[in-house]
Amino acid sequence: MKGIANLLQTCIDNKSLLLGKVLHAYILRTNLLTNTFLCNRLIELYSKCNDPTYAHRTFDNTPQKDIYSWNAVLSFYCKTGNLTFARKVFEQMPERNVVSWNNLISLMLKNGHQEKALDVYKLMVLEGFLPTHITFASVLSACGSVFDLQLGKRCHGLVIKIGLDKNIFVCNGLLSVYAKCGVMREAVQIFADIDEPNEVTFTSMMGGLGRIDGVVEALEMFRMMSRKGVRIDSVSLSAVLSVCAKGGEYDEFGCYESGDRLLRNVVLGEQIHGLAFKLGFEHDLYLGNSLLDMYAKNGIMKSAEMVFHTLGKPSVVSWNIMIAGYGQKGNSGKAIECFQRMQFSGFKPDEVTYINMLAACIKGGDVETARQMFDNMSCPSVISWNAIISGYSQNENHREAIDLFREMQFQSVKPDRTTVTVILGSCAGMAFLEGGKQVHAALQKAALHTDNYVAGGLIGMYSKCGKIERAEHIFSSMPELDIVCWNSMIAGLTLNSLNREAFMLFKQMRQGRMLPTEFSYATVLSCCTKLSSLFQGRQVHSQIVKDGYESDVFVGTALVDMYCKCGDIDGAWKHFDMMPVRNIVTWNEMIHGYAQNGYGDEAVHLYEDMIASGAKPDAVTFIAVLTACSHSGLVDLGFRIFNSMKSEHGIDPELDHYTCIIDCLSRAGHFHDAELLMEKMPYRDDPIVWEVVLSSCRVHGNVSLAQQAAQELFRLDPESSTPYVLLANIYSSLGRWDDVRVIRELMSEKQIVKDPGYSWTEDKEQDTCLFVG
């Protein structure tokens, strides 16, 4: 019998099915089937040779099954991935050992059922089985996949208790859990205690450091890996490249968050690219896709295209990365072209392809094409629904976003937290309070209203609909507040002109040790601006420098705006001049600041510097620079800039632009030119234009034009007191008191009441201590 067992083992090792069947026949003929050990070897043979029929038949015909028999057939079903039969066998087992549990946990993990695998593990421990290093390798992998840090920590305690804390597989699993959950202090401690880290150890560390943007630290880890002689494979190189891909995030203005960071990450990525080529991985598809991703996310599409063309056989993932890269740059045309080439090359788009296409079209402003893409999807997931709904919401087509949300529910697609937050934004954009209330009620029913992300959307919706008390109630009812909720509440108070309350809430947030974000600082600077409080604005500026946000373009622009509107033009220029990155809004704020503070020449020079720098002016830029020309009497220059709008920059003048240039002409006494322009422009019947003319007539004593302007205003805006007051002032300045009396009698007769004036003072002694730490 020993000889037969040895022969069966040889058949198993060599996968010799035919010889194994001959031995099986011999065992049947010699009545050796009662030997459970031989039956178990036969089940193992058929399992190894992928013969399910004979494996199960042999198991059924085994007269005396032991735990090894059950484990053999269970192992077979686990190997084939048949979860249904594996669970059935597992439940029928008269007894189980740790191997049985390990097989089922491993199978569930392979089938993507991480949560169920963890449930099986908990039941295993509850029934008194002691996990092995194989158990922990699977369970810790599942914990990392679902970010279950608490269970990972409990596993860590058990690992130490049973003495597996030096096993490399277990240590790598623990390190991976902590790294994926962003708890790098514990990950570093585990790494330091490993005597001989392998490539998995280093790859996990690099991945974890990448998640917390530790680019330099991840690269140092890679250098250490190389120095220790640990084998560098395509997976470890891909891990470094994924870290380098972290630098290409765009802000809401389409600018990179940090130019230095982008440059650093691209240079490091190019170095890894060179090393990959040197080590002979240039044809590795997995690594090739990582290179594509690194270049695409950093916006270097020419390099991405070069890598793509060198891939021997690109995969769907490769095409998806390219489409996402074009989409990130807002180049929807290139994304569509890539999508068409993908299909022409015989690749079938998957859901990621469509999501990337939706994002590309939406970012490029082509919502119509995005909708066509969406309508062609047979069964869009919630992510796809979110993408198209967000597209309409971002383009302020809130009605269509809400209609799609309703259609989504008719299609029985369950909304997630992203969906409801976007819809709350659309309800706010339409001031659709009733719709927002309905969403709120549904959220309470689904117990989602306490989710911080959703709560932030609710606070924003009620604030924008003027129901600040409801917003405050939601804010105060939250069991735990995150920075999104704080920011939403501060912004809501500011939106409702409760700037002092917003400022005090910001102070309260800092006292609670909640770290402000760029949005927090931009919002509180807006409060200082509206309160005309330079004193408090300077305090906020000091804290911004301390927290390291001074170089952020979003915060920097808010600082420029605050200094300009509080009258400290030198402070505004000082900060503007030192900003490493500026966007169109930053330029506009500084130009407008000069204009409002009477520095017309400086505003025009800055406008010219902006054009020379390659920045493209927008409609707001021209309002700012034309205002500067108007306030400083730069008539010829203003007229030249006005005429250049369409001819040089392709921008059609709007009402505000005409108002600025007419104001410029009228202030300088060029009433004839102003009248000629008013006859040609499409906004002749707008009251603001005539108010500008009437105001300038007072300065120059042009009574006839003033009377004409006043008559137009009486017709266009009969309830306004402005034309009466301005015309009366003109008459009084010329000593025409009878005419003044007539105007006042007319106001009395028509019950026109003059708006009262007011003054503003700042109390520097109040609320001076705003920050903690």
Side-chain angles (χ1 to χ4, degrees), residues 35-37 39-40 43 59 62-72 93-95:
N35 188 299
T36 304
F37 178 78
C39 289
N40 291 345
I43 295 169
F59 172 77
T62 302
Q64 295 178 323
K65 301 178 183 70
D66 61 11
I67 192 167
Y68 297 102
S69 313
W70 285 95
N71 278 338
M93 291 177 76
E95 63 172 319

Side-chain angles (χ1 to χ4, degrees), residues 288 293 715:
D293 189 53
R715 177 178 65 85

Side-chain angles (χ1 to χ4, degrees), residues 297-308:
K297 282 184 177 169
N298 282 296
I300 317 296
M301 289 310 295
K302 284 189 177 179
S303 295
E305 287 165 359
M306 181 192 72
V307 173
F308 184 82

Side-chain angles (χ1 to χ4, degrees), residues 423-682:
I423 288 304
L424 286 169
S426 282
C427 290
M430 291 177 64
F432 184 25
L433 179 61
E434 193 56 41
K437 284 181 177 178
Q438 290 173 11
V439 175
H440 190 181
L443 290 171
Q444 287 178 312
K445 189 176 179 181
L448 278 172
H449 61 293
T450 54
D451 181 284
N452 278 313
Y453 188 62
V454 173
L458 283 168
I459 291 167
M461 184 275 294
Y462 281 120
S463 298
K464 289 174 183 175
C465 290
K467 299 294 181 182
I468 193 66
E469 300 85 2
R470 293 290 299 271
E472 289 177 309
H473 175 72
I474 292 167
F475 180 80
S476 60
S477 302
M478 289 296 292
E480 189 175 342
L481 294 164
D482 67 359
I483 191 62
V484 175
C485 290
W486 282 101
N487 285 346
S488 296
M489 194 66 245
I490 294 168
L493 290 167
T494 305
L495 192 66
N496 284 271
S497 301
L498 298 169
N499 296 295
R500 189 167 294 281
E501 290 82 353
F503 207 94
M504 295 309 296
L505 189 63
F506 177 79
K507 176 185 174 182
Q508 184 184 331
M509 180 181 85
R510 282 200 51 81
Q511 287 172 336
R513 302 292 176 183
M514 179 68 72
L515 294 176
T517 62
E518 298 92 327
F519 184 81
S520 315
Y521 279 122
T523 305
V524 80
L525 283 169
S526 172
C527 290
C528 298
T529 302
K530 291 172 182 176
L531 290 167
S532 299
S533 178
L534 181 61
F535 178 73
Q536 290 177 334
R538 284 173 175 162
Q539 281 190 303
V540 176
H541 190 176
S542 298
Q543 194 62 41
I544 287 168
V545 173
K546 185 178 177 181
D547 287 353
Y549 286 117
E550 196 175 21
S551 297
D552 181 85
V553 67
F554 193 41
V555 176
T557 302
L559 275 168
V560 171
D561 182 48
M562 184 275 295
Y563 279 119
C564 286
K565 287 179 180 170
C566 289
D568 185 0
I569 199 69
D570 291 333
W573 169 253
K574 184 179 178 182
H575 183 70
F576 177 87
D577 194 41
M578 63 179 282
M579 285 179 69
V581 180
R582 301 167 188 148
N583 57 38
I584 185 63
V585 181
T586 319
W587 286 99
N588 289 350
E589 291 293 0
M590 193 65 234
I591 294 169
H592 195 258
Y594 274 136
Q596 291 297 326
N597 285 275
Y599 293 87
D601 289 323
E602 288 82 353
V604 173
H605 290 151
L606 190 60
Y607 163 76
E608 291 169 347
D609 289 344
M610 173 188 170
I611 301 295
S613 73
K616 188 177 179 181
D618 61 8
V620 178
T621 314
F622 286 104
I623 292 172
V625 72
L626 289 173
T627 300
C629 293
S630 174
H631 289 188
S632 299
L634 305 173
V635 183
D636 293 338
L637 196 54
F639 213 74
R640 179 172 61 80
I641 292 171
F642 178 81
N643 289 331
S644 73
M645 284 181 64
K646 179 67 176 176
S647 60
E648 295 180 23
H649 304 286
I651 297 173
D652 289 314
E654 297 172 2
L655 172 61
D656 288 337
H657 303 110
Y658 279 106
T659 303
C660 287
I661 194 62
I662 288 169
D663 185 45
C664 184
L665 292 167
S666 300
R667 279 175 185 249
H670 295 191
F671 292 111
H672 179 67
D673 294 330
E675 287 183 272
L676 287 175
L677 184 60
M678 288 170 68
E679 287 174 6
K680 295 177 184 177
M681 73 178 193

